[in-house]
């Protein structure tokens, strides 16, 4: 994924991953023409001795964080903001500190937590939009 690079993520339902600070902390959008680009592009920071974990920081300087089953945007990269990256056929799964996966249901516009990795828990990584 590249340390220090800005990337945008697309969920399995082909929608862009977006942070919204005043509604749901993490959701998806099919049309990002009118979405603030700070909400779509994430700065990737590698953590750990071998970069085995990543933290995703949005354009507002907030880290995507999962506390239990609740997403939030925090100003520091705690353990709950660091995700293990698993590559699978050119797409990536993000496994949480607690062993769960970020995912997206093809009929919903929000990111959810899954116990196992399936097609809905794979994201494609793109250059900034």
């Amino acid at each position: 994924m590249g340390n220090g690079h800005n990337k945008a993520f697309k969920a399995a339902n082909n929608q862009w991953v977006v942070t919204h600070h005043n509604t749901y902390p993490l959701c998806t959008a099919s049309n990002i023409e009118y979405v603030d680009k700070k909400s779509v592009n994430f700065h990737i920071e590698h953590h750990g001795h071998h970069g085995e974990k990543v933290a995703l920081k949005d354009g507002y300087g907030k880290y995507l964080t999962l506390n239990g089953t609740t997403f939030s945007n925090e100003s520091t990269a705690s353990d709950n903001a660091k995700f293990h990256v698993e590559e699978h056929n050119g797409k990536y799964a993000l496994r949480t500190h607690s062993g769960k996966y970020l995912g997206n249901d093809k009929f919903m516009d929000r990111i959810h937590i899954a116990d196992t990795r399936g097609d809905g828990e794979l994201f494609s990584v793109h250059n900034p939009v």
Side-chain angles (χ1 to χ4, degrees), residues 100-115:
K100 309 278 186 185
Y101 290 88
L102 301 188
N104 182 255
D105 186 293
K106 60 178 132 178
F107 303 109
M108 297 181 69
D109 62 354
R110 293 186 208 142
I111 300 297
H112 68 261
I113 305 303
D115 291 329

Side-chain angles (χ1 to χ4, degrees), residues 41-59:
N41 298 308
F42 293 88
H43 183 76
I44 298 172
E45 292 181 4
H46 287 262
H47 292 268
H49 297 292
H50 302 287
E52 63 274 6
K53 295 180 186 178
V54 297
L56 305 176
K57 184 166 60 170
D58 66 19

Side-chain angles (χ1 to χ4, degrees), residues 24-75:
Y24 301 105
L26 192 65
C27 60
T28 60
S30 57
N31 182 355
I32 57 170
E33 182 179 347
Y34 302 107
V35 174
D36 182 355
K37 299 309 181 248
K38 289 182 178 181
S39 298
V40 178
N41 298 308
F42 293 88
H43 183 76
I44 298 172
E45 292 181 4
H46 287 262
H47 292 268
H49 297 292
H50 302 287
E52 63 274 6
K53 295 180 186 178
V54 297
L56 305 176
K57 184 166 60 170
D58 66 19
Y60 294 98
K62 301 289 185 177
Y63 291 92
L64 170 63
T65 304
L66 181 69
N67 295 307
T69 58
T70 304
F71 288 106
S72 63
N73 300 301
E74 298 182 358
S75 56

